[in-house]
Amino acid sequence: MTCSIIIRAFNEEAHIGKLLNGIRHQETGANLEVILVDSGSKDSTVRIAESYGAKIVRIRPEEFSFGRALNIGCQQATGDILLFASAHVYPVYTNWIDQMLKPFDDPKVALSYGRQIGNQASKYSEQQLFAKWFPAVSNYNQQIPFCNNANTAIRRSLWEELPYDETLTGLEDLHWASQILHRGYKIAYDADAIIVHVHEETPRKIFNRYYREAIAFKRIKPMARFGFWDFAYLAVSNLISDYAAALQERVFWQHIAEIPVFRILQFWGTYQGYRFVGTLDRTLRERFYYPNEVFRREKPEPSEQVAMKQIAYE
């Protein structure tokens, strides 16, 4: 089996080396190629990727959307399986790729995705989300269109039939998964395909992430509603749930201020995204995807199934 690993990146010099080092240490029988889709990095991201032998594909910042960057990477790929990894993730074990590819032994599987966990830098509430969304038990016949393109693989032949929607501000992965389920294919979740997902987000970035995802979800599901009382109920109930878990784990005082910031911004961003009416202008694209100065500067132009070997990172 041949596999193309496609990584979307912008100014990821702090993380990209750890991902590429993890790929280098994979114990896999698959033939691999690594493609970096860079959308205007000004740091050492591209140089680091080149040092690991990655193929570099460049797009301009103003061209970027999550779906467009993936489609451009897929066009350059030669593998039978397209594996997507965020530039700020890294694998825990040396069998990550094989576990991602394993579900494709079933010809009806169109998509597989793996488990995500946080690290010491992760917000406590986000670690609670990871535990909820990515459980420790695999499911090779998932009935809901959930996945996450930080750690997902799909069949190239099906991408050729169904490219990613380039107009969405996020959730291009859920949109693709929904369409593929409707075509009668399977989605597989493998709890042993584990990556660490590092989100070092400011409060503004937390808000923006959920804001743009809500805009996208409303596009995908026009009848969906999220009102002020939904915001209030979900923010408060999740805040209480997180505090209860933190008390049980005896880390309450470490996260007492961080938890309400994350949860309030998560659901306030969602609420504001549902209220959005209009089209995406340059200002919104800049706000969603890049620091302001980029556009100003550019304007002139583990389970029981397998024994897993952990990667040792320096």
Side-chain angles (χ1 to χ4, degrees):
M1 185 178 289
T2 58
C3 175
S4 299
I5 303 173
I6 298 168
I7 305 164
R8 296 173 294 194
F10 172 75
N11 285 351
E12 293 282 2
E13 66 178 4
H15 303 290
I16 190 72
K18 203 164 189 178
L19 168 59
L20 294 170
N21 185 55
I23 293 171
R24 176 174 285 179
H25 283 86
Q26 290 296 296
E27 297 174 352
T28 177
N31 294 320
L32 301 179
E33 71 173 349
V34 178
I35 298 171
L36 181 86
V37 182
D38 183 78
S39 51
S41 292
K42 301 299 180 183
D43 63 3
S44 300
T45 298
V46 171
R47 181 182 59 77
I48 293 169
E50 287 175 332
S51 74
Y52 279 90
K55 178 179 180 180
I56 309 300
V57 180
R58 292 178 169 86
I59 62 174
R60 293 176 59 82
E62 55 266 36
E63 297 178 78
F64 179 86
S65 73
F66 293 104
R68 179 166 177 74
L70 279 184
N71 285 338
I72 289 172
C74 293
Q75 289 167 3
Q76 298 296 317
T78 61
D80 303 314
I81 303 298
L82 308 174
L83 195 164
F84 309 129
S86 290
H88 44 270
V89 309
Y90 58 90
V92 178
Y93 299 108
T94 57
N95 69 336
W96 165 58
I97 290 175
D98 277 355
Q99 288 301 121
M100 290 292 287
L101 300 182
K102 183 178 176 182
F104 293 103
D105 290 342
D106 180 348
K108 292 299 291 181
V109 169
L111 178 157
S112 77
Y113 72 103
R115 190 176 178 187
Q116 298 184 34
I117 60 176
N119 66 0
Q120 300 89 337
S122 301
K123 303 288 192 297
Y124 184 82
S125 296
E126 182 152 52
Q127 296 203 45
Q128 298 301 106
L129 287 176
F130 285 150
K132 180 179 180 180
W133 292 347
F134 307 105
V137 179
S138 298
N139 180 358
Y140 277 23
N141 190 17
Q142 182 178 287
Q143 298 300 307
I144 59 172
F146 178 79
C147 65
N148 187 284
N149 273 349
N151 188 25
T152 286
I154 66 172
R155 292 189 188 273
R156 178 188 174 84
S157 58
L158 292 176
W159 169 80
E160 290 173 344
E161 297 177 18
L162 187 65
Y164 283 97
D165 189 329
E166 299 184 2
T167 66
L168 293 172
T169 56
L171 304 186
E172 79 293 337
D173 40 16
L174 273 65
H175 179 253
W176 199 89
S178 177
Q179 291 188 299
I180 217 68
L181 272 183
H182 284 306
R183 294 187 179 203
Y185 290 96
K186 294 180 182 179
I187 293 173
Y189 168 67
D190 195 301
D192 294 319
I194 306 172
I195 55 94
V196 175
H197 194 158
V198 183
H199 266 143
E200 297 175 333
E201 293 180 313
T202 62
R204 176 182 174 180
K205 287 183 178 179
I206 295 170
F207 173 88
N208 283 346
R209 173 155 59 112
Y210 290 99
Y211 181 48
R212 61 173 173 74
E213 287 185 354
I215 293 173
F217 192 82
K218 196 172 72 167
R219 278 273 316 279
I220 298 168
K221 301 286 186 182
M223 301 305 294
R225 296 291 181 268
F226 192 97
F228 181 81
W229 290 112
D230 297 300
F231 154 71
Y233 172 76
L234 289 171
V236 171
S237 61
N238 279 276
L239 190 153
I240 293 170
S241 175
D242 288 354
Y243 274 152
L247 280 168
Q248 187 174 14
E249 296 172 18
R250 300 184 179 181
V251 294
F252 177 83
W253 294 109
Q254 294 173 235
H255 302 289
I256 186 171
E258 168 200 307
I259 287 171
V261 171
F262 184 94
R263 287 302 191 180
I264 291 170
L265 290 174
Q266 175 190 5
F267 293 111
W268 187 248
T270 302
Y271 171 63
Q272 292 296 337
Y274 270 81
R275 297 182 68 201
F276 174 80
V277 178
T279 58
L280 294 180
D281 60 14
R282 185 184 182 89
T283 303
L284 267 182
R285 288 175 59 84
E286 174 183 336
R287 177 178 175 183
F288 284 158
Y289 304 130
Y290 296 99
N292 294 342
E293 63 271 16
V294 172
F295 273 73
R296 285 199 290 267
R297 186 165 54 235
E298 290 288 326
K299 192 171 181 180
E301 235 330 77
S303 89
E304 310 169 328
Q305 296 177 337
V306 290
M308 295 178 286
K309 183 176 174 183
Q310 190 163 358
I311 301 171
Y313 291 103
E314 296 181 356

